[in-house]
């Protein structure tokens, strides 16, 4: 018999790791540091000295930052008196039952975590477990048992299912949890409650397992630490997050393929583009390809595959796509949709070998229509959307296309105060 007692083991081990790992940085460049050198964090030193009101004022300007990378570790504003008093607070009483799950990296800044918690509360989300943001074991947001318990305790009935399960952060670690969760029971309970699980990046592993074994949809969406804790929260991303949470007939219009590659048409197909309809699934390419051959990757008949990634060179993108192709994951699918493939750079052997070349090769291999430029991924101004829901892809008359979604849970729009997501509560 499965116990209904919430998992609490290994808490001491997790807490003992936190202070030590903060200062244990290695001198070698990881992918995030490499992207920084490419200019991802240019100008962040200036942002760190601005007050919240200055940042908010700058945020209202109509600047096109849609192709800039949004990373987890931008600096926070200093907690000085001017930044505290110059902001007009406008919040609502939080009523949306929300539980966090921290499946991957630890959030490295307590101040950033608190800013994010304040903002989501201001926007109407009543978080039941804010203390998990302080957990740490090695590089992870707690031990494997602790992180799995964020979801497994719902499956066992130890914790009631909330309306929203909000991911804290991506990075790495979610795959370690997949055998530790009863996905079938979790999916059933979430369906009964109408629970929405929201996240992206490394959380793709959670979303794929939930769909593959639990038959439950989720939301490709920004996360607590990654987005709502940033000093300069992206208002478009916040607005589209609230829209996807509350709109039962979500539509997203795409005009071109530039977020995937400016060298591609928005629709790559044989003959005239046609409307297709099916279940959309997938997420981060690195994670989806790593799940190939496992029981946790969905097998969707007549599906539409969505893929995005960041900081991967063209040859690495192609290798991961070949992983999926050779595993037979594109068989029986109706279309492939690419979101942003940010920061791919140039090939060191031949700059002509780029993302567009890779996508065209995939089209040649599969024969499937490929829709590029979906406004989601590791970018600003991203549009949240449901995974595991019914999606219709409809070409328009000017070279773009529209995605229309149905059959997914939502939240009452009047319970969300979206402006709270870019204020300091």
């Amino acid at each position: 018999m499965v116990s209904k007692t919430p998992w609490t083991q290994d808490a001491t081990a997790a807490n003992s790791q936190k202070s030590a790992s903060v200062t244990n940085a290695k001198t070698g460049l990881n992918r995030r540091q490499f992207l920084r050198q490419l200019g991802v964090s240019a100008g962040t030193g200036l942002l760190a000295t601005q007050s919240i009101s200055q940042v908010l004022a700058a945020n209202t300007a109509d600047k096109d930052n849609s192709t800039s990378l949004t990373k987890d570790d931008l600096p926070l504003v200093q907690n000085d008196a001017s930044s505290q008093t110059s902001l007009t607070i406008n919040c609502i009483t939080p009523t949306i039952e929300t539980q966090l799950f921290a499946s991957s990296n630890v959030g490295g800044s307590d101040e950033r975590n608190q800013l994010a918690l304040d903002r989501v509360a201001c926007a109407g989300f009543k978080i039941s477990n804010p203390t998990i943001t302080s957990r740490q074991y090695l590089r992870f947001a707690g031990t494997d048992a602790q992180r799995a318990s964020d979801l497994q305790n719902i499956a066992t009935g130890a914790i009631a299912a909330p309306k929203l399960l909000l991911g804290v952060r991506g990075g790495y670690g979610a795959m370690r949890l997949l055998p530790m969760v009863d996905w079938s029971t979790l999916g059933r309970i979430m369906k009964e409650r109408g629970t929405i699980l929201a996240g992206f990046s490394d959380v793709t592993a959670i979303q794929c397992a939930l769909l593959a074994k639990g038959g439950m949809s989720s939301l490709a969406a920004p996360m607590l630490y990654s987005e709502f804790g940033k000093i300069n929260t992206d208002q478009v991303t916040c607005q589209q997050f609230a829209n996807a949470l509350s709109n039962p007939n979500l539509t997203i219009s795409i005009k071109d393929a530039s977020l995937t590659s400016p060298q591609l048409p928005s629709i790559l197909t044989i003959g005239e583009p046609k409307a297709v309809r099916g279940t959309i699934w997938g997420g981060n390419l690195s994670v989806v390809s790593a799940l190939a051959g496992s029981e946790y990757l969905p097998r969707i008949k007549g599906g539409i595959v969505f893929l995005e990634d960041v900081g991967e060179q063209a040859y690495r993108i192609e290798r991961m796509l070949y992983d999926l192709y050779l595993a037979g994951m594109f068989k029986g699918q109706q279309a492939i949709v690419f979101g942003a493939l940010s920061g791919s750079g140039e090939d060191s052997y031949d700059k002509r070998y780029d993302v567009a070349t890779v996508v065209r090769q995939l089209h040649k291999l599969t024969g499937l229509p490929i829709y590029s430029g979906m406004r989601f991924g590791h970018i600003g101004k991203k549009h949240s959307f449901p995974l595991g829901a019914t999606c219709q892809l409809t070409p328009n008359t000017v070279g773009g296309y529209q995605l229309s979604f149905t059959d997914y849970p939502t939240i009452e729009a009047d319970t969300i105060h979206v402006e709270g997501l870019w204020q300091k509560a």
Side-chain angles (χ1 to χ4, degrees):
M1 179 179 296
V2 178
S3 171
K4 291 190 177 184
T5 303
W7 296 8
T8 58
Q9 63 250 52
D10 297 336
T12 302
N15 292 334
S16 67
Q17 291 286 335
K18 183 163 188 178
S19 60
S21 63
V22 170
T23 58
N24 191 26
K26 296 183 178 180
T27 57
L29 290 179
N30 59 29
R31 186 167 71 170
R32 179 174 289 119
Q33 291 166 331
F34 171 74
L35 290 170
R36 278 175 155 181
Q37 287 196 353
L38 293 179
V40 172
S41 58
T44 55
L46 175 62
L47 287 177
T49 64
Q50 293 177 308
S51 71
I52 289 287
S53 59
Q54 290 172 312
V55 172
L56 290 175
N59 229 1
T60 59
D62 186 20
K63 295 183 289 186
D64 185 7
N65 294 323
S66 62
T67 58
S68 62
L69 304 182
T70 57
K71 307 308 294 181
D72 287 354
D73 51 358
L74 297 180
L76 286 169
V77 69
Q78 301 298 318
N79 291 323
D80 55 62
S82 62
S83 66
Q84 297 287 335
T85 59
S86 60
L87 180 66
T88 300
I89 305 300
N90 181 22
C91 299
I92 64 172
T93 301
T95 59
I96 303 167
E97 296 178 5
T98 303
Q99 181 172 321
L100 303 177
F101 68 97
S103 57
S104 307
N105 279 15
V106 65
S109 166
D110 291 338
E111 290 81 7
R112 181 167 176 163
N113 278 323
Q114 189 58 55
L115 177 57
L117 290 168
D118 289 345
R119 280 174 170 159
V120 296
C122 183
F125 300 93
K126 185 177 181 181
I127 294 179
S128 62
N129 60 338
T131 58
I132 75 164
T133 60
S134 63
R135 289 187 325 212
Q136 181 168 359
Y137 176 73
L138 301 176
R139 63 172 289 143
F140 307 111
T143 65
D144 289 356
Q146 287 176 318
R147 290 180 293 124
S149 72
D150 295 340
L151 302 172
Q152 179 63 9
N153 282 341
I154 298 173
T156 64
I159 295 175
K163 186 60 183 175
L164 177 65
L165 273 166
L166 179 62
V168 174
R169 189 179 185 182
Y172 170 69
M175 291 184 70
R176 295 169 61 134
L177 314 182
L178 300 187
M180 305 174 69
V181 177
D182 180 353
W183 298 105
S184 177
T185 302
L186 179 63
R188 175 181 58 78
I189 291 173
M190 289 177 62
K191 286 179 186 177
E192 292 171 355
R193 175 67 175 90
T195 300
I196 303 168
L197 183 145
F200 82 115
S201 194
D202 193 55
V203 173
T204 294
I206 303 294
Q207 294 169 311
C208 282
L210 183 62
L211 180 59
K213 299 182 76 67
M216 182 61 189
S217 66
S218 60
L219 192 70
M223 295 179 286
L224 183 84
Y225 185 94
S226 308
E227 181 63 41
F228 305 131
K230 294 193 304 185
I231 187 174
N232 195 12
T233 304
D234 180 351
Q235 292 188 22
V236 172
T237 293
C238 293
Q239 289 165 341
Q240 295 304 321
F241 172 60
N243 185 38
L245 283 174
S246 59
N247 187 348
N249 297 291
L250 180 69
T251 60
I252 299 173
S253 296
I254 305 300
K255 64 179 182 179
D256 58 51
S258 58
L259 289 178
T260 303
S261 170
Q263 281 73 49
L264 286 171
S266 59
I267 305 173
L268 191 60
T269 187
I270 300 171
E272 288 296 317
K274 298 178 181 179
V276 297
R277 182 181 177 88
T279 299
I280 190 165
W281 65 279
N284 180 260
L285 174 58
S286 297
V287 178
V288 172
S289 67
L291 292 174
S294 78
E295 62 186 297
Y296 303 106
L297 193 63
R299 270 75 170 173
I300 304 294
K301 294 181 179 180
I304 297 169
V305 186
F306 169 78
L307 299 166
E308 61 82 22
D309 218 317
V310 60
E312 300 289 358
Q313 294 183 46
Y315 81 92
R316 292 176 60 87
I317 292 172
E318 181 170 280
R319 182 164 60 196
M320 291 185 285
L321 290 171
Y322 261 93
D323 285 343
L324 295 172
Y325 171 71
L326 295 174
M329 298 313 301
F330 294 120
K331 291 181 179 179
Q333 302 305 295
Q334 296 192 72
I336 301 168
V337 177
F338 279 106
L341 296 174
S342 314
S344 59
E346 290 185 350
D347 186 78
S348 59
Y349 290 91
D350 191 328
K351 63 177 63 177
R352 294 174 298 178
Y353 178 74
D354 56 10
V355 167
T357 303
V358 169
V359 172
R360 291 182 186 278
Q361 174 68 4
L362 181 65
H363 176 59
K364 179 180 177 181
L365 286 171
T366 65
L368 294 173
I370 296 180
Y371 294 71
S372 296
M374 171 62 174
R375 189 173 286 277
F376 191 85
H378 293 72
I379 55 169
K381 299 185 179 180
K382 55 178 160 277
H383 289 215
S384 301
F385 69 97
L387 289 163
T390 300
C391 174
Q392 177 160 318
L393 291 167
T394 307
N396 60 32
T397 59
V398 292
Y401 61 94
Q402 179 176 279
L403 304 94
S404 303
F405 303 91
T406 54
D407 305 324
Y408 54 92
T410 57
I411 293 171
E412 291 295 327
D414 60 5
T415 62
I416 303 173
H417 175 59
V418 65
E419 290 86 354
L421 294 175
W422 58 78
Q423 294 191 47
K424 184 168 182 179

